[in-house]
């Protein structure tokens, strides 16, 4: 965690930290100074997402029409999921033009891939919430506190 | 770029026990992320993640076995 001696001006902003965490898993943690944790989170979340895409194929795994609410979870992965969604749309377009092409995954590979990618998105949501909590903690720690005697007097 | 096409466009066929084995890496990922967030010290993460992973796997195994036994008894 970043040093407690930061002034109010140098404290990280919570919305920016959350946005960075959405753009790339772990980037929010990196920005607030928690770099080893950021690297672990980036590797684990990104690997889980792309492992799902590799198992089920991008055409089946990231499809807004066929996977229902899972796409909402997958979109928590940020630009990576948008790139995968674009690739999926391109493949579906190719399938429409050429009936002999079929990129659909057989059961259960498709379902397994969707679950992997969806869980990766939900894990990134957890990472975003964690970075928000850490920024809040930094703000609370930096807030000036009254001396102990004054606090004691205020309580009584 | 052919390897990218093979890796991310063509799906992998998974059969039999492979379906169940695919559960383990996913649970490991969930455990790693959860413990990375929760553990105050980084050196605690590997052991805590493996412990949580084993706990989840054994819990799911217990639920699976109990459901199987229940269905066999009711059948």
């Amino acid at each position: 965690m970043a040093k407690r001696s930061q002034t109010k001006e140098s404290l990280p902003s919570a919305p920016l930290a959350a946005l960075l965490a959405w753009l790339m898993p772990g980037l929010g943690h990196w920005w607030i100074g928690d770099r080893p944790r950021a690297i672990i989170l980036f590797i684990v979340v990104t690997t889980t997402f792309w492992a799902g895409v590799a198992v089920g194929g991008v055409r089946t795994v990231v499809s807004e029409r066929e996977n229902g609410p899972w796409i909402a979870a997958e979109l928590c992965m940020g630009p990576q999921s948008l790139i995968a969604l674009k690739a999926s749309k391109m493949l579906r377009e190719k399938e429409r033009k050429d009936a002999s092409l079929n990129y659909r995954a057989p059961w259960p590979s498709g379902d397994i891939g969707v679950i992997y990618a969806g869980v990766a998105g939900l894990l990134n949501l957890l990472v975003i919430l964690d970075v928000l909590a850490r920024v809040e903690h930094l703000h609370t720690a930096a807030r000036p506190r009254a001396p102990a005697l004054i606090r004691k007097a205020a309580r009584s | 770029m052919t390897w990218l096409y093979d890796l991310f466009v063509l799906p992998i066929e998974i059969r039999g026990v492979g379906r169940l084995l695919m559960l383990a890496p996913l649970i490991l990922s969930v455990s790693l992320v959860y413990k990375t967030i929760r553990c105050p010290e980084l050196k605690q993460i590997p052991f805590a993640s493996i412990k949580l992973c084993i706990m989840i796997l054994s819990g799911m195994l217990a639920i699976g076995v109990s459901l199987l036994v229940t269905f066999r008894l009711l059948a």
Side-chain angles (χ1 to χ4, degrees):
Chain A
M1 192 158 286
K3 284 171 192 165
R4 280 179 165 218
S5 59
Q6 286 172 310
T7 59
K8 192 158 187 173
E9 290 76 32
S10 70
L11 284 172
S13 124
L16 184 58
L19 179 71
L20 289 173
W22 178 76
L23 284 173
M24 191 184 281
L27 192 58
H29 285 79
W30 182 278
W31 187 59
I32 63 168
D34 209 345
R35 296 192 170 172
R37 223 177 281 272
I39 293 168
I40 298 171
L41 291 171
F42 173 74
I43 292 172
V44 176
V45 176
T46 308
T47 307
T48 309
F49 180 78
W50 289 105
V53 175
V55 168
V58 71
R59 154 73 178 78
T60 310
V61 172
V62 192
S63 168
E64 79 280 15
R65 288 185 190 165
E66 291 158 27
N67 299 333
W70 279 107
I71 192 72
E74 289 166 0
L75 286 175
C76 292
M77 276 299 292
Q80 296 183 56
S81 59
L82 296 176
I83 291 167
L85 188 64
K86 180 81 182 159
S88 172
K89 276 186 181 170
M90 279 166 58
L91 289 173
R92 270 183 281 149
E93 196 60 40
K94 269 175 85 176
E95 273 180 350
R96 221 171 286 138
K97 283 178 186 164
D98 186 350
S100 64
L101 291 173
N102 183 18
Y103 297 109
R104 277 192 192 163
W107 185 86
S109 304
D111 288 352
I112 292 171
V114 170
I115 291 169
Y116 263 69
V119 169
L122 293 176
L123 288 175
N124 198 38
L125 186 63
L126 195 66
V127 171
I128 293 169
L129 294 174
D130 181 62
V131 84
L132 283 174
R134 281 171 198 270
V135 170
E136 178 63 31
H137 178 76
L138 288 176
H139 282 263
T140 313
R143 213 169 283 154
R145 295 188 74 193
L149 271 174
I150 297 174
R151 275 185 277 137
K152 199 176 172 186
R155 258 184 267 136
S156 58
Chain B
M1 294 299 269
T2 325
W3 66 273
L4 264 178
Y5 176 85
D6 288 346
L7 190 62
F8 296 117
V9 175
L10 302 178
I12 299 167
E13 205 166 321
I14 299 166
R15 289 178 182 178
V17 191
R19 285 181 290 171
L20 289 176
L21 291 178
M22 286 302 289
L23 196 65
L26 187 65
I27 290 173
L28 187 64
S29 299
V30 173
S31 312
L32 268 168
V33 171
Y34 183 73
K35 286 298 172 186
T36 304
I37 285 169
R38 298 290 294 177
C39 289
E41 296 290 326
L42 286 173
K43 61 183 175 195
Q44 296 173 333
I45 295 171
F47 180 70
S49 310
I50 291 168
K51 199 174 145 190
L52 181 64
C53 184
I54 292 168
M55 272 171 66
I56 298 172
L57 274 174
S58 40
M60 291 181 101
L61 192 71
I63 292 169
V65 169
S66 54
L67 282 173
L68 188 72
V69 170
T70 312
F71 279 113
R72 288 268 162 90
L73 287 173
L74 292 173

PDB file of all heavy atoms in Angstrom, chain A residues 18 21 29-30 36 41 57 59 71-72 83 87 107 126-127:
ATOM      1  N   ALA A  18     -10.427   3.291 -10.367  1.00  0.00           N
ATOM      2  CA  ALA A  18     -11.391   2.284 -10.838  1.00  0.00           C
ATOM      3  C   ALA A  18     -11.342   2.171 -12.365  1.00  0.00           C
ATOM      4  O   ALA A  18     -11.383   1.059 -12.907  1.00  0.00           O
ATOM      5  CB  ALA A  18     -12.794   2.651 -10.376  1.00  0.00           C
ATOM      6  N   ALA A  21      -8.281   0.299 -13.370  1.00  0.00           N
ATOM      7  CA  ALA A  21      -8.459  -1.136 -13.067  1.00  0.00           C
ATOM      8  C   ALA A  21      -9.341  -1.803 -14.115  1.00  0.00           C
ATOM      9  O   ALA A  21      -9.152  -2.984 -14.435  1.00  0.00           O
ATOM     10  CB  ALA A  21      -9.046  -1.309 -11.683  1.00  0.00           C
ATOM     11  N   HIS A  29      -4.171  -0.876  -8.966  1.00  0.00           N
ATOM     12  CA  HIS A  29      -3.266  -1.196  -7.845  1.00  0.00           C
ATOM     13  C   HIS A  29      -1.861  -0.664  -8.142  1.00  0.00           C
ATOM     14  O   HIS A  29      -1.187  -0.168  -7.261  1.00  0.00           O
ATOM     15  CB  HIS A  29      -3.218  -2.702  -7.595  1.00  0.00           C
ATOM     16  CG  HIS A  29      -4.444  -3.225  -6.908  1.00  0.00           C
ATOM     17  ND1 HIS A  29      -5.609  -3.463  -7.587  1.00  0.00           N
ATOM     18  CD2 HIS A  29      -4.692  -3.529  -5.618  1.00  0.00           C
ATOM     19  CE1 HIS A  29      -6.517  -3.903  -6.739  1.00  0.00           C
ATOM     20  NE2 HIS A  29      -5.991  -3.953  -5.537  1.00  0.00           N
ATOM     21  N   TRP A  30      -1.442  -0.811  -9.397  1.00  0.00           N
ATOM     22  CA  TRP A  30      -0.122  -0.323  -9.823  1.00  0.00           C
ATOM     23  C   TRP A  30      -0.051   1.190  -9.588  1.00  0.00           C
ATOM     24  O   TRP A  30       0.926   1.707  -9.067  1.00  0.00           O
ATOM     25  CB  TRP A  30       0.095  -0.651 -11.307  1.00  0.00           C
ATOM     26  CG  TRP A  30       1.424  -0.235 -11.841  1.00  0.00           C
ATOM     27  CD1 TRP A  30       1.793   1.010 -12.273  1.00  0.00           C
ATOM     28  CD2 TRP A  30       2.587  -1.060 -11.994  1.00  0.00           C
ATOM     29  NE1 TRP A  30       3.095   1.004 -12.696  1.00  0.00           N
ATOM     30  CE2 TRP A  30       3.613  -0.247 -12.533  1.00  0.00           C
ATOM     31  CE3 TRP A  30       2.852  -2.407 -11.738  1.00  0.00           C
ATOM     32  CZ2 TRP A  30       4.879  -0.733 -12.813  1.00  0.00           C
ATOM     33  CZ3 TRP A  30       4.122  -2.887 -12.024  1.00  0.00           C
ATOM     34  CH2 TRP A  30       5.117  -2.065 -12.549  1.00  0.00           C
ATOM     35  N   PRO A  36       3.539  -5.199  -6.650  1.00  0.00           N
ATOM     36  CA  PRO A  36       3.577  -6.677  -6.729  1.00  0.00           C
ATOM     37  C   PRO A  36       2.173  -7.287  -6.803  1.00  0.00           C
ATOM     38  O   PRO A  36       1.923  -8.210  -7.567  1.00  0.00           O
ATOM     39  CB  PRO A  36       4.275  -7.092  -5.431  1.00  0.00           C
ATOM     40  CG  PRO A  36       4.970  -5.875  -4.958  1.00  0.00           C
ATOM     41  CD  PRO A  36       4.201  -4.709  -5.446  1.00  0.00           C
ATOM     42  N   LEU A  41      -2.411  -9.808  -9.906  1.00  0.00           N
ATOM     43  CA  LEU A  41      -3.808  -9.683 -10.361  1.00  0.00           C
ATOM     44  C   LEU A  41      -3.888  -9.642 -11.887  1.00  0.00           C
ATOM     45  O   LEU A  41      -4.748 -10.297 -12.481  1.00  0.00           O
ATOM     46  CB  LEU A  41      -4.452  -8.424  -9.762  1.00  0.00           C
ATOM     47  CG  LEU A  41      -4.690  -8.486  -8.255  1.00  0.00           C
ATOM     48  CD1 LEU A  41      -5.111  -7.131  -7.719  1.00  0.00           C
ATOM     49  CD2 LEU A  41      -5.732  -9.536  -7.891  1.00  0.00           C
ATOM     50  N   GLY A  57     -13.218 -20.847 -28.023  1.00  0.00           N
ATOM     51  CA  GLY A  57     -13.132 -20.105 -29.284  1.00  0.00           C
ATOM     52  C   GLY A  57     -13.808 -18.754 -29.120  1.00  0.00           C
ATOM     53  O   GLY A  57     -14.861 -18.653 -28.492  1.00  0.00           O
ATOM     54  N   ARG A  59     -15.494 -16.924 -31.089  1.00  0.00           N
ATOM     55  CA  ARG A  59     -16.828 -16.810 -31.705  1.00  0.00           C
ATOM     56  C   ARG A  59     -17.939 -17.179 -30.708  1.00  0.00           C
ATOM     57  O   ARG A  59     -18.963 -16.522 -30.635  1.00  0.00           O
ATOM     58  CB  ARG A  59     -16.861 -17.723 -32.938  1.00  0.00           C
ATOM     59  CG  ARG A  59     -18.198 -18.246 -33.389  1.00  0.00           C
ATOM     60  CD  ARG A  59     -19.025 -17.174 -34.048  1.00  0.00           C
ATOM     61  NE  ARG A  59     -20.286 -17.668 -34.522  1.00  0.00           N
ATOM     62  CZ  ARG A  59     -21.350 -17.908 -33.768  1.00  0.00           C
ATOM     63  NH1 ARG A  59     -21.297 -17.712 -32.466  1.00  0.00           N
ATOM     64  NH2 ARG A  59     -22.489 -18.316 -34.298  1.00  0.00           N
ATOM     65  N   ILE A  71     -22.323 -11.873 -20.957  1.00  0.00           N
ATOM     66  CA  ILE A  71     -21.569 -10.825 -21.664  1.00  0.00           C
ATOM     67  C   ILE A  71     -21.304  -9.637 -20.745  1.00  0.00           C
ATOM     68  O   ILE A  71     -20.250  -9.002 -20.828  1.00  0.00           O
ATOM     69  CB  ILE A  71     -22.285 -10.411 -22.983  1.00  0.00           C
ATOM     70  CG1 ILE A  71     -21.366  -9.546 -23.860  1.00  0.00           C
ATOM     71  CG2 ILE A  71     -23.581  -9.697 -22.739  1.00  0.00           C
ATOM     72  CD1 ILE A  71     -20.250 -10.283 -24.510  1.00  0.00           C
ATOM     73  N   ALA A  72     -22.266  -9.360 -19.831  1.00  0.00           N
ATOM     74  CA  ALA A  72     -22.086  -8.245 -18.884  1.00  0.00           C
ATOM     75  C   ALA A  72     -20.878  -8.518 -17.986  1.00  0.00           C
ATOM     76  O   ALA A  72     -20.075  -7.623 -17.719  1.00  0.00           O
ATOM     77  CB  ALA A  72     -23.342  -8.062 -18.058  1.00  0.00           C
ATOM     78  N   ILE A  83     -12.090  -6.140 -27.589  1.00  0.00           N
ATOM     79  CA  ILE A  83     -11.330  -6.669 -28.735  1.00  0.00           C
ATOM     80  C   ILE A  83     -11.883  -8.049 -29.103  1.00  0.00           C
ATOM     81  O   ILE A  83     -12.117  -8.355 -30.271  1.00  0.00           O
ATOM     82  CB  ILE A  83      -9.819  -6.737 -28.399  1.00  0.00           C
ATOM     83  CG1 ILE A  83      -9.241  -5.330 -28.282  1.00  0.00           C
ATOM     84  CG2 ILE A  83      -9.046  -7.533 -29.460  1.00  0.00           C
ATOM     85  CD1 ILE A  83      -7.860  -5.269 -27.658  1.00  0.00           C
ATOM     86  N   ALA A  87     -13.719  -9.337 -32.572  1.00  0.00           N
ATOM     87  CA  ALA A  87     -13.274 -10.515 -33.326  1.00  0.00           C
ATOM     88  C   ALA A  87     -14.426 -11.494 -33.511  1.00  0.00           C
ATOM     89  O   ALA A  87     -14.597 -12.077 -34.596  1.00  0.00           O
ATOM     90  CB  ALA A  87     -12.119 -11.185 -32.601  1.00  0.00           C
ATOM     91  N   TRP A 107     -20.388 -28.679 -27.494  1.00  0.00           N
ATOM     92  CA  TRP A 107     -20.644 -28.788 -26.054  1.00  0.00           C
ATOM     93  C   TRP A 107     -19.658 -29.779 -25.465  1.00  0.00           C
ATOM     94  O   TRP A 107     -19.386 -30.783 -26.105  1.00  0.00           O
ATOM     95  CB  TRP A 107     -22.084 -29.279 -25.823  1.00  0.00           C
ATOM     96  CG  TRP A 107     -22.445 -29.289 -24.386  1.00  0.00           C
ATOM     97  CD1 TRP A 107     -22.932 -28.263 -23.649  1.00  0.00           C
ATOM     98  CD2 TRP A 107     -22.319 -30.413 -23.488  1.00  0.00           C
ATOM     99  NE1 TRP A 107     -23.106 -28.654 -22.356  1.00  0.00           N
ATOM    100  CE2 TRP A 107     -22.742 -29.970 -22.225  1.00  0.00           C
ATOM    101  CE3 TRP A 107     -21.886 -31.731 -23.611  1.00  0.00           C
ATOM    102  CZ2 TRP A 107     -22.754 -30.805 -21.099  1.00  0.00           C
ATOM    103  CZ3 TRP A 107     -21.881 -32.542 -22.497  1.00  0.00           C
ATOM    104  CH2 TRP A 107     -22.314 -32.082 -21.266  1.00  0.00           C
ATOM    105  N   LEU A 126     -14.188  -7.500  -8.819  1.00  0.00           N
ATOM    106  CA  LEU A 126     -13.716  -7.582  -7.427  1.00  0.00           C
ATOM    107  C   LEU A 126     -12.438  -6.749  -7.247  1.00  0.00           C
ATOM    108  O   LEU A 126     -12.269  -6.053  -6.247  1.00  0.00           O
ATOM    109  CB  LEU A 126     -13.445  -9.052  -7.088  1.00  0.00           C
ATOM    110  CG  LEU A 126     -13.295  -9.443  -5.639  1.00  0.00           C
ATOM    111  CD1 LEU A 126     -14.594  -9.247  -4.900  1.00  0.00           C
ATOM    112  CD2 LEU A 126     -12.870 -10.901  -5.533  1.00  0.00           C
ATOM    113  N   VAL A 127     -11.567  -6.817  -8.256  1.00  0.00           N
ATOM    114  CA  VAL A 127     -10.307  -6.053  -8.226  1.00  0.00           C
ATOM    115  C   VAL A 127     -10.618  -4.543  -8.242  1.00  0.00           C
ATOM    116  O   VAL A 127     -10.004  -3.768  -7.501  1.00  0.00           O
ATOM    117  CB  VAL A 127      -9.402  -6.451  -9.417  1.00  0.00           C
ATOM    118  CG1 VAL A 127      -8.206  -5.529  -9.538  1.00  0.00           C
ATOM    119  CG2 VAL A 127      -8.941  -7.894  -9.270  1.00  0.00           C
TER     120      VAL A 127
END
